[in-house]
């Protein structure tokens, strides 16, 4: 049985969607969770849904502020003097820009949240004063990196860039046995999904006779199950890998 008892885990994007679900799920399995997002009211709502809400802590932070992420991580450790055992990067911004309107500034905005902030957190959380040996890191990527989707150039490149460095990061952190893995997810039933037009949206479930496949939009808990497995000691020899959970979409 997977347990996170006596484990401290950082979750970004914890105010909604898959980040909220991961935080709740971790609390149910005994973890002490540090939540990071911009919206304080929604962070408070997430904590209210967690088991033992009094033991968890949130930090309101805009991950576009790359330069102060080192201070954020230090604060997350110093408030209770407990190092991290894991980190899940669920923060992300959707981006649908046709090539004709795509420019450097739009690229940069997407990359800062989806990629740069993730790498900066890994850089600082992997320091000995901030994490325990054998900590686990999970990055949430998207099936968009594997399929053709019009208008998602910036989003796809930002996700695939972070996704493809899992083995390199794991190699650099091997002395402390810190491992990095990715979950490559299909469409998840979240507010972000509903706010975009990139869903190719079928109903919750659809069968394609032509391709003989069943496609279904995933629930946040279904994706969280895979994330928590990779985060746990049960997956301690899975290092630098991509795990696809596509909902039947190929």
């Amino acid at each position: 049985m997977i347990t996170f008892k006596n484990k401290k885990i950082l979750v970004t994007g914890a105010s909604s969607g898959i980040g909220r679900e991961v935080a709740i799920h971790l609390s149910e399995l005994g973890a002490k969770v540090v939540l990071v997002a911009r919206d304080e009211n929604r962070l408070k709502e997430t904590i209210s849904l967690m088991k033992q809400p009094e033991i968890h802590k949130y930090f309101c932070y805009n991950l576009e502020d790359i330069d102060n992420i080192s201070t954020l991580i230090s604060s997350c450790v110093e408030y209770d003097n407990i190092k991290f055992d894991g980190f899940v990067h669920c923060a992300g911004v959707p981006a649908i820009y046709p090539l004709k309107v795509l420019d450097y500034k739009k690229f940069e905005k997407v990359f800062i949240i989806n990629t740069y902030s993730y790498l900066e957190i890994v850089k600082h959380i992997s320091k000995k004063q901030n994490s325990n040996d054998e900590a686990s890191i999970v990055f949430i990527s998207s099936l968009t990196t594997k399929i053709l989707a019009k208008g998602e150039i910036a989003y796809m490149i930002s996700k695939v860039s972070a996704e493809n460095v899992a083995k390199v990061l794991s190699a650099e952190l091997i002395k402390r046995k810190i491992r990095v893995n990715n979950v490559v997810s299909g469409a998840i039933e979240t507010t972000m999904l509903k706010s975009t037009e990139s869903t190719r949206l079928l109903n919750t479930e659809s069968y394609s006779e032509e391709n003989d496949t069943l496609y279904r939009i995933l629930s946040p808990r279904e994706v969280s199950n895979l994330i928590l497995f990779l985060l746990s000691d049960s997956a301690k020899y899975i290092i630098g890998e991509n795990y696809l959970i596509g909902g039947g979409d190929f």
Side-chain angles (χ1 to χ4, degrees), residues 146-169:
K146 313 298 179 190
I147 61 176
L148 298 175
K150 291 181 180 179
E152 296 201 4
I153 295 170
Y155 184 78
M156 182 272 288
I157 296 176
S158 71
K159 286 292 188 178
V160 80
S161 297
E163 178 184 312
N164 283 343
V165 297
K167 286 187 183 295
V168 177
L169 290 173

Side-chain angles (χ1 to χ4, degrees), residues 35-50:
L35 303 83
V36 171
R38 291 178 296 179
D39 191 311
E40 183 170 16
N41 288 332
R42 293 199 301 182
L43 281 168
K44 287 180 177 179
E45 184 179 349
T46 300
I47 285 188
S48 72
L49 297 170
M50 296 169 69

Side-chain angles (χ1 to χ4, degrees), residues 4-200:
F4 290 91
K5 187 177 181 181
N6 299 322
K7 301 281 189 181
K8 181 178 175 181
I9 311 294
L10 173 66
V11 180
T12 60
S15 61
S16 63
I18 188 61
R20 170 174 286 181
E21 186 65 31
V22 168
I24 293 169
H25 199 174
L26 280 166
S27 74
E28 293 169 356
L29 297 180
K32 183 175 190 177
V33 186
V34 175
L35 303 83
V36 171
R38 291 178 296 179
D39 191 311
E40 183 170 16
N41 288 332
R42 293 199 301 182
L43 281 168
K44 287 180 177 179
E45 184 179 349
T46 300
I47 285 188
S48 72
L49 297 170
M50 296 169 69
K51 188 173 181 180
Q52 290 186 285
E54 69 280 359
I55 74 169
H56 311 295
K57 177 78 171 178
Y58 71 81
F59 287 83
C60 287
Y61 191 84
N62 185 346
L63 290 175
E64 291 184 59
D65 184 6
I66 297 291
D67 293 336
N68 289 307
I69 283 178
S70 60
T71 302
L72 169 68
I73 299 304
S74 296
S75 299
C76 290
V77 172
E78 290 169 0
Y79 89 91
D80 63 356
N81 244 357
I82 299 174
K83 298 179 184 181
F84 283 107
D85 300 287
F87 161 46
V88 186
H89 190 65
C90 300
V93 291
I96 302 175
Y97 299 117
L99 181 61
K100 62 184 179 182
V101 302
L102 192 58
D103 57 31
Y104 170 77
K105 290 184 178 179
K106 291 183 177 67
F107 258 118
E108 184 179 46
K109 184 178 177 72
V110 177
F111 266 78
I112 284 173
I113 299 296
N114 292 358
T115 311
Y116 300 154
S117 68
Y118 163 68
L119 294 174
E120 192 71 9
I121 292 172
V122 173
K123 173 182 173 181
H124 293 289
I125 206 170
S126 61
K127 292 179 179 179
K128 200 169 185 66
Q129 67 265 30
N130 294 329
S131 62
N132 294 311
D133 290 351
E134 300 188 16
S136 176
I137 295 167
V138 180
F139 175 75
I140 312 306
S141 188
S142 168
L143 194 62
T144 307
T145 64
K146 313 298 179 190
I147 61 176
L148 298 175
K150 291 181 180 179
E152 296 201 4
I153 295 170
Y155 184 78
M156 182 272 288
I157 296 176
S158 71
K159 286 292 188 178
V160 80
S161 297
E163 178 184 312
N164 283 343
V165 297
K167 286 187 183 295
V168 177
L169 290 173
S170 295
E172 290 204 17
L173 301 174
I174 195 66
K175 287 185 178 179
R176 298 194 55 222
K177 298 181 181 179
I178 296 176
R179 54 197 176 81
V180 182
N181 291 290
N182 305 309
V183 168
V184 183
S185 174
I188 309 171
E189 194 174 351
T190 63
T191 301
M192 181 187 290
L193 180 77
K194 294 173 184 176
S195 69
T196 70
E197 297 175 2
S198 62
T199 60
R200 290 174 296 142

